Amino acid sequence: LLGHSDGDALIHALCDALLGALALGDIGEHFPDTDPKYQGIASHQLLVSVKELVDKSGYKINNIDAVIIAQEPALAPFKKQMKQKLCALLMLNADCLNIKAKTNEGLGLVGNIEAIACYVIVSLVFGG
């Protein structure tokens, strides 16, 4: 995907959800596209930085539910691998993260294969 970083839509949405749950703004405030050091950065590096903010705040990730809406490519064959990688990055048990993949039934920018949309809900708990 085209983007200032590597364009990983799911990780960007996950970063935004975590930052939002902490009331710490959004990914653009922490990693602005006006800063050349983020040009082409691997999104997993941003996620690790956001996870550090979660840890420093005294919160723990309780649960993540994500949906990726993309007409192409078909994501079902990749969901298990995506889940494993995200769980490893976030140090989560697999039963704490769910990934769903949907199409947009040919409608709009997503349906016309011009965009991918992601929605992520996170639940945090304070303390251990």
Side-chain angles (χ1 to χ4, degrees):
L1 298 176
L2 297 176
H4 184 75
S5 67
D6 65 5
D8 189 314
L10 176 58
I11 288 183
H12 285 223
L14 180 51
C15 287
D16 269 338
L18 289 166
L19 290 167
L22 293 170
L24 291 178
D26 63 41
I27 193 171
E29 293 173 57
H30 291 266
F31 313 104
D33 62 6
T34 55
D35 190 333
K37 74 180 175 185
Y38 299 118
Q39 178 71 44
I41 193 169
S43 293
H44 74 271
Q45 292 176 277
L46 305 179
L47 182 58
V48 169
S49 294
V50 170
K51 172 65 164 68
E52 289 171 1
L53 292 173
V54 172
D55 294 341
K56 287 178 187 175
S57 72
Y59 283 89
K60 177 183 167 197
I61 299 171
N62 182 56
N63 184 274
I64 297 171
D65 186 40
V67 61
I68 307 164
I69 307 168
Q71 200 66 36
E72 290 181 9
L75 295 173
F78 303 103
K79 288 187 340 180
K80 183 178 179 181
Q81 182 181 9
M82 293 164 68
K83 181 175 179 172
Q84 289 172 338
K85 290 188 178 214
L86 288 173
C87 284
L89 285 169
L90 295 169
M91 296 176 281
L92 283 179
N93 291 325
D95 60 351
C96 295
L97 187 138
N98 186 55
I99 299 174
K100 301 179 292 261
K102 310 275 185 209
T103 69
N104 213 40
E105 303 297 328
L107 300 174
L109 293 174
V110 172
N112 289 326
I113 316 169
E114 297 177 52
I116 290 178
C118 297
Y119 300 99
V120 179
I121 297 171
V122 300
S123 169
L124 302 178
V125 292
F126 192 73

